[in-house]
Amino acid sequence: MRNNTFQDRRWVIAGIFSVVILIYIIRLFSLQIVETKYKIGAESNALLRKTIYPPRGLIYDRNNTLLVYNRPAYDIAMILREITDLDTLEFCNTLNITKDYFCERMKDIKDRKKNPGFSVYTPQIFMTQLYGDEIANMQQNIYRYPGFYIQNRTLREYTFPYAAHVFGSIGEVSKSDIERDPYYRQGDYSGRDGVEFTYEKHLRGEKGVEILLRDSKGRIRGKYRDGDADEEPVAGKNLTLTIDIQLQKIGEELLNGKIGSIVAIEPQTGEILSMVTNPGYDPSILVGRSRSKNYNELVNDPTKPLLNRATLAQYSPGSTFKPIQALICLQLGGINEHTRFPCNGESSVPIRCSHYHGSPVSLLNAIEQSCNPYFWQAFRATLEKDGYGEKNSSFKENYQAWMDALYSFGFGHKFEDSDLFEHVKGNIPTQNYFNRYFGETGWRALTIRSLSIGQGEVLATPLQLANVMAIIANQGYYITPHLNKNDTMLLKKHVTAVDSSHFPIVTEGMWRVFEYGTGRYYKIPGLDMCGKTGTVQNNFGKDHSLFVGFAPRENPVIAIAVVVENAGFGATWAAPIASLMMEQYILGKIDRHYLFDRISTSILNPDVQKR
Amino acid sequence: MFKRDSVTYSIDWLVLLLYFTLVIMGWFNIYGASYDLDHEGSMFNFDFRAGKQFIWIITAFVIGGVILLLDYRFFNYFAYYIYALTILLLIITIFIAPEIKGSRSWLVMGPISIQPAELAKVSTALVLAKWMSRYNFKMKSPRDFIPLIFFILLPFGLIVLQREIGSALVFSTFLLVLYREGMRGEILLMLSLFIVLFILVLKYSASPIANAEGTWGMVLAMGIVLISQFVYTYFFTRHKKEAWILAGSVTALSLIFIVLNKWFFTVNFDYVAIAITAATTPYWLVVELIKRYKKYLFPAFMTLVAIGFCFTSDQIFNRVLEPHQQIRIKILLNMEEDLMGAGYNVNQSKIAIGSGGFWGKGFLNGTQTKLKYVPEQDTDFIFCTIGEEHGFVGSVFVLILYWLLLMRILAIAERQKEAFHRIYAYGVASLLFFHVMINVGMVLGVMPVIGIPLPFLSYGGSSLWSFTILLFILLRLDASRLERR
């Protein structure tokens, strides 16, 4: 063996080989096991998570009439990098758009200020919310425009042009929505108001995901793991409303040309049968591409069609407050069923009476004839029944009792457990308020006399007034007014502070209103109805016309409150509207066509537009 | 029973087994890498890469079989002729090869194209073995050594002319063979040192020193040179005192200049570092004269060479290397990031491997490779597919196969009676090692992107054939050890 003197060097060489291999194994360990960024990098490289939107739940009325459903719509998306040889003119013709629009749109998409997520690699929305007929041409020719894709989505569609404020609408989620609920992603849609908002989670369902494989050129190359990792979307659940769409329709027609609202409630259940506000709009105008344009018009309309007056407008109840006043005075012992008070008609002090009736007047007559002096004296008798006491303490105690009783009728606070999108609490003035205003001992029954007839600081929404009628119809309790038919709320009876024994006489008084009083012209023959008109002074022109009531007298099925702003006497406008609503609901149809036509065609406010 | 001198009896079955395992793994992974979601071709469909590779594999087996049937003396006798033939082929290739991806290295003959550069590796291993196994060969004799360098540089130069710098660099691996046969180890160390200096100067020449003139690149490089001198003197000579004198004066001088820079005038530390380092040369010459110790001439000389090298390495980088090579090196050194451009390959390859995890995603389940994120994934980047689909376990398994193969070849080399056989075996091991080191290193992002295949695994006839020839010649030579002569 010659020339083998360097034999030991084989260990050096073997060492070099081994060290390099060992370094590589360590490097592999750090790349494949220690580092996680490469795994994430691989996912964002190759997996395209495509959201599958579930169909939103349908909405039915209480009689299972379909009200809101979904209609397929389409977005046109494009990946700029994949667009080749685009014949712009032909493309515009296919989509039925002008070349100017096309250029404008392209410019907007590429403008990173307007479209921060712009990238030539990812899908960009070129046009959105197109209907089938608008896109039919495109669907047939899509293969001619590489880089353009059609994406499915659904849009709301409405069977009737009514109840827009009940439904609310759907719009793109905001940044804060996304932060609040991780379910949402940029570009998702959710209910913005109405039941679409309150029942968003019920209606929206669960999004599904389809994981697609995307190659290095951005092309889709099939499903990841053959779809094993995909998640099927879960369809949204349907919603049955308490609304009777026929009643809603009649209500909206009756308020035609007027500003006002109607709330009708089924007393036993608290179910809202109709919730009308006028001016309103056709819910379908806030869908799809025209949404933002129409929304702007609605916002800028001085008659405020977006305001749901049924739950957000607060009015002094005026004379419609008298039945409640009577109940509370009876309960607190200021009066009893036989109490009579004198009335000097026009010359009564401190509050005049505008009606003509005998004196001294009884409770029944006072309700029937809406006698202001009676209720002033009853109110005073209640508050002063123990005298004024040390620093008016006895008086204040009685005021507090009066106020608490009103609270128990749903005044002055929100319905905490309600599913209504937005409602306000109205107002019942507190002791503190008067103490601040007049000083600790500076106010007496006389100071706050306008409260006795529902004027002054007392404010209530039409919803609260209708709810009070439900209380009287129920002889002393209410179920929170609500819109979801399947949420009975029956277990939660809100019992008022007034004993049920006091209700019959007030009911009798209200019955007399329809028999002999201000409502007598609008009595439905053969039906015992109860009600009370109200004519409310306000600072904005003519008096508001109010009416509250329920029917039939025995086993009532509908309690109602109607407000027509600046229309005049309660008996002239609100009463017939309420009467027609009751007729529609109880009898299922309207026989008094002359009355219906007269009311529905009367334009009291020419600014009110039907949209 | 086999006859004692038959090839089947004496062939090294372990190497053969490792060879078959690697080739079959390559075939499966080429199927995996070129597997297209739209066209699920079979592994035998000749329209696809895996099917074609199957043909290459079968033909490679035939070639291997033929080599085993040849007489073992054939390679020894014809080594020069084989070498001359491949050199001729390389020259012809320069002139007649069509330009493919910027290089002229492929000879296209109808449906088959071969790369003579691959064959040149085999023939150079043979010719080196032949030359060094000559009677009375002395590495130190220039008459023996200079032709040896010529044998390596000739194909290297020709392949550079074909603009296949990656393949050309492979020939540097024969230095390991030379080392085994007696070349001074210092040369290898010097080369490593120069690579380190080159990287330091390149990487830090753009990092200026705060509150002074000059860059960290030169200062660090000179620091390395000085430390090497210290280590050499301290550990490899008996002159520990002289080593300490060097360290002390260098530290003192450096401190003086730091102080000067801080309170008196701005110092250019590039020149300070060079001056101090250059000053060590006369120091060592004096020490050599006083101590009559002859081992300082070489380090003193190399110090001057190193200074010159560092001084010009920027120029070398910018002048000699082409822009795409410059950027690959800069990306490797983290000096630039260009994930969509030149850094794309390596970044995607790291993503593919990194996403494999411990067990991998499973055969044909890799997303990065299937979806063509990694370019050249069935040829130069085949290791990505293994990393992604078979994970850490699979990758380490392949590396261990290579390691076993290399160790086995070294063992075979050392059991040869004939120097020709041994030297050739070292050539084989060095070639295989260099390919694995560069290829896997590039895929793992620790080596610059140099387009050379992974032995036995990468797709391609030329590379599989030439590695098969390389290995089977060794197997044939080894099988002869038991033959009666």
Side-chain angles (χ1 to χ4, degrees), chain A residues 2 4 9 24 45 221, chain B residues 133 179-180 183 373 437:
Chain A
R2 64 180 187 87
N4 219 353
R9 287 189 173 187
Y24 286 179
N45 248 350
R221 306 303 296 272
Chain B
S133 61
Y179 169 73
R180 166 62 184 85
M183 187 183 74
Y373 282 93
M437 175 178 76

Side-chain angles (χ1 to χ4, degrees), chain A residues 2-4 6-7 9-10 12 17-18 24 27-29 31-33 39 42 45-46 214-216 221, chain B residues 36-38 133-134 179-180 182-183 348 353-355 357 368 371-373 387 392 403 426 437 444:
Chain A
R2 64 180 187 87
N3 205 3
N4 219 353
F6 301 104
Q7 231 191 66
R9 287 189 173 187
R10 67 175 147 167
V12 177
F17 290 179
S18 306
Y24 286 179
R27 173 73 176 168
L28 275 169
F29 184 80
L31 273 182
Q32 299 191 295
I33 293 166
K39 292 171 188 66
N45 248 350
R214 175 175 53 189
D215 74 6
S216 57
R221 306 303 296 272
Chain B
D36 194 304
L37 294 167
D38 292 343
S133 61
R134 281 183 324 134
Y179 169 73
R180 166 62 184 85
M183 187 183 74
Q348 290 298 336
I353 291 184
S355 70
Q368 306 306 297
L371 299 165
K372 317 290 177 218
Y373 282 93
F392 181 69
W403 182 77
Y426 269 98
M437 175 178 76
L444 295 179

Side-chain angles (χ1 to χ4, degrees), chain A residues 95-161:
Chain A
L95 261 181
N96 204 13
I97 54 174
T98 63
K99 195 160 183 219
D100 288 344
Y101 178 84
F102 177 85
C103 298
E104 181 87 355
R105 201 57 208 116
M106 281 296 193
K107 217 178 84 192
D108 284 355
I109 289 170
K110 288 179 195 167
D111 185 350
R112 280 182 204 270
K113 271 184 211 139
K114 289 183 182 169
N115 181 16
F118 174 70
S119 157
V120 295
Y121 299 97
T122 58
Q124 304 288 316
I125 302 291
F126 178 72
M127 282 177 87
T128 180
Q129 301 174 331
L130 296 156
Y131 285 120
D133 50 331
E134 292 171 301
I135 208 164
N137 241 337
M138 188 67 190
Q139 254 164 341
Q140 285 166 12
N141 290 303
I142 192 81
Y143 69 93
R144 290 163 66 183
Y145 308 112
F148 284 91
Y149 301 92
I150 294 176
Q151 294 180 345
N152 296 0
R153 73 157 72 234
T154 59
L155 289 180
R156 279 308 212 193
E157 189 82 357
Y158 301 90
T159 322
F160 300 98

Side-chain angles (χ1 to χ4, degrees), chain A residues 9 52 95 161 184 229 365 384 397 402 408 486 503 517 519 550 573-574:
Chain A
R9 287 189 173 187
I52 311 171
L95 261 181
Y184 297 111
N365 273 333
E384 295 179 351
E397 239 168 63
W402 178 82
S408 73
N486 294 325
F503 283 87
F550 59 92
W573 297 106

Side-chain angles (χ1 to χ4, degrees), chain A residues 568-594:
Chain A
F569 292 115
T572 324
W573 297 106
I577 289 172
S579 172
L580 286 163
M581 291 289 282
M582 289 169 168
E583 180 179 6
Q584 166 65 33
Y585 186 67
I586 296 168
L587 303 179
K589 62 185 195 314
I590 285 174
D591 286 330
R592 293 173 291 173
H593 298 291
Y594 64 96

